[in-house]
Amino acid sequence: MFNYFQGIMLTALEMICCKMFFEIFGEKRSEHNWKNYGLILGLILSMYSFALLFYEKFVLKQVMVIFVIVLFMIWYLKINIWKAVILSLLFQGLLISIDYGTLWLNVSLFHSIAEINERYYVAGRLIAVLAKILLFLVVLMIKKKIGGKSPDVLVHTDWLQFMFFPIFTIFTIIALIATSGNMKNQNQESVFLVIALCLAGMNIIVFYLMNAIVKREIKIRESKIFQMEVKNQTDMYRSISENLIKQRKRTHEYKNQILCIESLLAAKNYDQAAEYVNRVSGNLSTELDSIKTNHVIVDAILNTKYREMLDKNILFTCKMNDLSNINICDEDIVIILSNLLCNAIEACETCTGKKVVKLKFVKEAENIIISVKNTYSGELVTRNGEVQTSKTQNIEEHGIGIKNVIDVITKYHGSYVFQNDEKEFYVSILLPYTKKNL
């Protein structure tokens, strides 16, 4: 009975490694976990059945195994049949190479395969478990190398922490193999095999637990990013709406002002009329949009932030040219400008000296240049070598805001620089320019 249990466990380890190997190169057809679990369970039972039925027919067994793996993986992943065949051949080649490589290394200890089976039965079984752990480790290394950009893959520090488990398991099983020849009690042999199998299973469980934690953290971060984007866009649109309401009120006031001017002119009070016109026009220059780049969204954001800086006594200087027809979608423009200018305004609010924000947003022959420079007081907050914000409250949100900007820059294959001195913080973004299709 124990032999059947051990055989099923070893087959399960092989097929889980096979599943991980295929997932590097294909996307799941369904996120329904129970359906996927059913497919993998069916694959494990099929492989174990072939191992029993075709024990002495190696070639036939390999043909059947490759065929069934291809069949199940086509159901499980979005891959075509030829890719599935090639991946199945590669995995079987990897599996056989590791099995025979591990066996060859251990033959040097026991002199022959027959001696392993007859005199060192437990050692032979432990060698089989060791081979599966080595297979798992090799698949992990392939996953790290090829699938490193996948959101389901552990980050570098997580890999270093996790690698302790398979390496510890490998050395533990080697120690068990080295001491297994001195055992004469069958119960001790069973305990050694159970320990080895449990350690192998724990590696799989720990890996998927860590992956689940990483996925949950990614979802939390994406949720925060989405909330930040919604907040920025909502604030911008609310500001635009408020400005439209104010503009309607001013339109009504302008009618009354024109009537007043007409009355003064009709009464030939030219000096008073001139004085009144100068006063009205002075107010008008600050109320109408002062920044025009021929891009509706850019104009809306910059004029909104300009009025906000006027209210907060922040000097705002900018350099722009014609930004019509730039190849940046409206949502991404909102992310870049809103986050950078919001951070700049918040930093200036804490300044005890000059409060200055400088913006450059220009389109050149081959590039779009966006740079923001602002004064600040205090110390910059950094995390993992990256600047988060100069503000000490709600650091997580500000870090996400800058991450959003970096994600947009990466999306357009651009580059960026963050610099600072004792008084000013500087952000420069370079995006490749291609004319937007009309």
Side-chain angles (χ1 to χ4, degrees):
M1 186 68 181
F2 183 76
N3 288 338
Y4 289 112
F5 170 74
Q6 181 188 355
I8 292 174
M9 285 293 295
L10 291 175
T11 305
L13 290 172
E14 284 183 7
M15 292 304 100
I16 290 173
C17 290
C18 179
K19 166 182 170 292
M20 293 171 58
F21 180 78
F22 270 77
E23 285 176 345
I24 299 171
F25 305 96
E27 182 183 352
K28 294 179 184 178
R29 289 187 181 276
S30 172
E31 293 298 331
H32 195 283
N33 288 333
W34 290 111
K35 180 181 177 181
N36 295 333
Y37 294 154
L39 285 171
I40 301 304
L41 180 61
L43 182 61
I44 293 170
L45 295 177
S46 299
M47 294 299 104
Y48 185 65
S49 300
F50 291 149
L52 294 177
L53 294 173
F54 306 106
Y55 180 75
E56 296 181 353
K57 300 177 180 180
F58 178 79
V59 176
L60 180 59
K61 184 180 78 171
Q62 292 303 315
V63 172
M64 295 299 295
V65 165
I66 291 171
F67 173 77
V68 173
I69 288 177
V70 169
L71 188 62
F72 274 90
M73 288 304 164
I74 288 175
W75 287 343
Y76 179 61
L77 301 173
K78 297 177 182 178
I79 55 176
N80 59 52
I81 185 170
W82 295 113
K83 186 175 182 180
V85 169
I86 293 171
L87 291 175
S88 182
L89 289 170
L90 288 173
F91 178 77
Q92 283 302 109
L94 180 65
L95 172 63
I96 293 171
S97 299
I98 292 174
D99 280 347
Y100 280 92
T102 307
L103 185 61
W104 177 79
L105 289 173
N106 284 275
V107 163
S108 61
L109 297 174
F110 304 106
H111 305 297
S112 70
I113 297 176
E115 189 176 358
I116 293 175
N117 290 329
E118 293 175 5
R119 297 181 56 191
Y120 301 99
Y121 174 80
V122 177
R125 299 296 182 178
L126 290 173
I127 290 169
V129 178
L130 177 62
K132 305 315 171 198
I133 290 296
L134 290 172
L135 174 66
F136 176 64
L137 187 61
V138 171
V139 171
L140 284 181
M141 293 172 66
I142 296 172
K143 190 178 181 72
K144 176 67 171 67
K145 185 67 176 178
I146 299 177
K149 294 183 180 179
S150 169
D152 295 341
V153 177
L154 302 177
V155 297
H156 182 67
T157 54
D158 293 328
W159 277 107
L160 292 177
Q161 294 172 3
F162 173 74
M163 281 302 175
F164 168 80
F165 291 96
I167 293 172
F168 171 79
T169 302
I170 288 170
F171 281 104
T172 301
I173 294 177
I174 291 173
L176 293 176
I177 293 172
T179 57
S180 61
N182 299 324
M183 290 187 302
K184 298 180 180 179
N185 189 321
Q186 188 175 2
N187 290 332
Q188 288 181 338
E189 295 177 353
S190 299
V191 169
F192 269 40
L193 289 173
V194 169
I195 290 173
L197 289 170
C198 288
L199 285 173
M202 282 299 296
N203 279 269
I204 304 292
I205 292 171
V206 170
F207 175 77
Y208 279 102
L209 283 175
M210 291 185 70
N211 250 343
I213 293 171
V214 170
K215 288 180 181 179
R216 186 171 67 249
E217 290 178 350
I218 289 172
K219 288 182 179 179
I220 292 172
R221 180 176 177 272
E222 288 177 347
S223 176
K224 289 183 178 179
I225 288 173
F226 177 75
Q227 291 173 6
M228 286 288 293
E229 291 178 358
V230 170
K231 179 179 179 296
N232 286 334
Q233 293 185 19
T234 302
D235 289 344
M236 187 193 71
Y237 294 135
R238 183 186 295 114
S239 179
I240 293 173
S241 177
E242 290 174 354
N243 288 331
L244 288 174
I245 293 172
K246 291 178 181 178
Q247 193 66 39
R248 293 192 189 99
K249 293 179 179 178
R250 290 167 187 155
T251 302
H252 180 71
E253 294 173 1
Y254 296 153
K255 292 180 181 179
N256 293 330
Q257 290 168 352
I258 290 172
L259 290 174
C260 180
I261 293 171
E262 289 179 348
S263 300
L264 291 172
L265 293 175
K268 298 182 179 181
N269 293 326
Y270 301 119
D271 291 338
Q272 292 181 7
E275 182 182 348
Y276 185 75
V277 168
N278 288 333
R279 187 166 64 251
V280 170
S281 62
N283 294 332
L284 184 62
S285 62
T286 61
E287 292 171 352
L288 296 178
D289 286 349
S290 303
I291 302 172
K292 293 184 180 180
T293 64
N294 295 325
H295 192 291
V296 175
I297 299 300
V298 175
D299 291 347
I301 297 171
L302 296 185
N303 282 289
T304 299
K305 295 302 178 183
Y306 171 59
R307 283 187 286 270
E308 182 179 348
M309 283 185 257
L310 280 179
D311 294 338
K312 295 179 178 180
N313 295 320
I314 299 173
L315 177 62
F316 182 46
T317 63
C318 53
K319 178 181 180 181
M320 263 88 59
N321 57 10
D322 184 5
L323 299 178
S324 61
N325 208 27
I326 58 175
N327 61 323
I328 309 176
C329 70
D330 295 344
E331 292 80 4
D332 293 334
I333 289 175
V334 172
I335 291 172
I336 293 175
L337 290 181
S338 294
N339 280 297
L340 294 183
L341 291 176
C342 283
N343 286 346
I345 292 170
E346 289 170 354
C348 283
E349 286 183 283
T350 63
C351 285
T352 54
K354 294 181 179 179
K355 299 181 179 181
V356 181
V357 175
K358 300 175 183 179
L359 170 69
K360 180 180 180 181
F361 194 160
V362 296
K363 177 182 66 179
E364 295 184 346
E366 297 180 355
N367 297 298
I368 297 172
I369 300 173
I370 305 172
S371 65
V372 176
K373 182 183 289 187
N374 62 270
T375 54
Y376 73 96
S377 297
E379 296 183 0
L380 291 175
V381 178
T382 60
R383 184 173 301 164
N384 297 326
E386 294 183 354
V387 176
Q388 302 293 309
T389 175
S390 60
K391 196 173 180 181
T392 57
Q393 297 178 348
N394 300 325
I395 295 173
E396 289 292 335
E397 291 186 5
H398 291 281
I400 290 174
I402 291 179
K403 285 287 186 183
N404 289 352
V405 174
I406 294 174
D407 288 343
V408 173
I409 297 169
T410 304
K411 172 182 173 181
Y412 289 92
H413 307 288
S415 57
Y416 63 92
V417 174
F418 291 85
Q419 293 180 338
N420 70 284
D421 55 28
E422 295 180 356
K423 296 181 179 180
E424 288 186 319
F425 180 74
Y426 175 68
V427 181
S428 180
I429 299 170
L430 188 68
L431 302 176
Y433 171 71
T434 55
K435 190 174 181 181
K436 186 190 293 183
N437 294 328
L438 296 175

